[in-house]
């Protein structure tokens, strides 16, 4: 579709949609437009393309809609891809949302989420590798704090397991930190 948005200095951390070129909608899973502050999929219709118009093109980008000074902003930019979402015990979980929580803990060097089916329900466990300066009691304190933060954010108990340094894979580019086992 070409450039759809830009970062505006007056609203840091958000992308401003170029509404002169696109009619943008943010639709929820029910197919209806979300309210301001709601999350959904970005849908675009081009306004000035005659040779190759797009009508209600579903981008697959999961965004948070925000109106600011009469303009449409995407708070936090593109939050994730719609197809990355998993349902764990009835709760919609996005891998990028889990990563956002984990990255608030500077003690965590690397992590991996393992998803498995237990008694016909999907379950996840987060494996975390910590900085080498932490001793066992300190690591367990961070594990508990991380479990609490995950529970607060997702209303779901996600167990965290500390693993030995160097055990988790490292990736140069976009990491694959979510795997089914």
């Amino acid at each position: 579709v070409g450039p759809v948005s830009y970062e505006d200095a007056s609203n840091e951390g958000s992308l401003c949609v170029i509404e002169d070129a696109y009619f943008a909608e943010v639709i929820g899973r029910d197919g209806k437009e979300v309210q301001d502050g709601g999350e959904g999929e970005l849908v675009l219709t081009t306004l000035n393309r005659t040779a190759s118009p797009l009508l209600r093109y579903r981008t697959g980008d999961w965004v948070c809609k925000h109106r600011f000074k009469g303009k449409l902003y995407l708070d936090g930019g593109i939050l994730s891809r719609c197809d990355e979402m998993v349902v764990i015990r009835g709760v919609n979980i996005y891998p990028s949302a889990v990563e956002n929580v984990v990255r608030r803990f500077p003690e965590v060097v690397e992590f991996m989420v393992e998803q498995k089916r237990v008694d016909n329900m999907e379950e996840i466990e987060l494996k975390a590798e910590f900085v080498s300066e932490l001793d066992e009691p300190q690591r367990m304190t961070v594990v508990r704090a991380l479990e609490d933060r995950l529970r607060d954010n997702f209303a779901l108990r996600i167990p965290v397991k500390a693993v030995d340094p160097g055990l988790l894979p490292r990736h140069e580019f976009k990491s694959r930190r979510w795997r089914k086992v």
Side-chain angles (χ1 to χ4, degrees):
V1 292
V4 174
S5 59
Y6 61 93
E7 189 170 12
D8 183 354
S10 67
N11 194 6
E12 253 182 68
S14 294
L15 296 175
C16 182
V17 174
I18 306 169
E19 292 181 280
D20 292 342
Y22 299 97
F23 174 71
E25 303 169 84
V26 179
I27 60 169
R29 298 225 177 269
D30 60 1
K32 296 178 183 171
E33 181 82 14
V34 300
Q35 299 295 319
D36 193 36
E39 291 185 5
E41 181 179 7
L42 179 63
V43 177
L44 299 171
T45 298
T46 55
L47 298 177
N48 53 10
R49 292 203 182 155
T50 54
S52 58
L54 293 174
L55 302 174
R56 299 204 77 216
Y57 172 70
R58 297 183 69 153
T59 63
D61 296 330
W62 194 259
V63 298
C64 180
K65 175 182 176 180
H66 176 67
R67 286 265 171 207
F68 180 70
K69 295 185 179 179
K71 296 179 181 179
L72 175 61
Y73 284 87
L74 310 176
D75 271 355
I78 296 170
L79 303 176
S80 70
R81 298 285 301 158
C82 293
D83 55 1
E84 291 179 340
M85 184 196 76
V86 295
V87 180
I88 306 296
R89 295 192 164 270
V91 178
N92 296 347
I93 303 285
Y94 292 90
S96 58
V98 172
E99 182 165 5
N100 287 338
V101 171
V102 174
R103 293 297 175 211
R104 293 185 203 152
F105 290 83
E107 302 90 348
V108 177
V109 174
E110 190 57 77
F111 74 97
M112 171 76 68
V113 177
E114 291 187 344
Q115 178 182 342
K116 59 187 167 193
R117 191 176 262 306
V118 177
D119 297 329
N120 287 333
M121 295 197 84
E122 294 296 318
E123 299 278 350
I124 58 175
E125 177 182 67
L126 189 138
K127 295 185 176 195
E129 189 177 311
F130 297 98
V131 293
S132 59
E133 295 81 32
L134 294 181
D135 60 23
E136 187 61 24
Q138 292 170 320
R139 287 190 340 178
M140 296 322 304
T141 299
V142 177
V143 164
R144 284 189 295 279
L146 183 52
E147 286 177 335
D148 290 345
R149 182 79 55 93
L150 290 165
R151 186 182 59 249
D152 292 345
N153 276 265
F154 302 111
L156 185 67
R157 189 185 68 77
I158 300 173
V160 175
K161 179 181 176 187
V163 299
D164 293 332
L167 185 67
L168 298 177
R170 302 294 196 269
H171 303 276
E172 224 173 290
F173 300 104
K174 185 178 177 184
S175 181
R176 305 285 301 166
R177 292 189 174 95
W178 199 284
R179 69 177 188 165
K180 287 189 174 190
V181 292

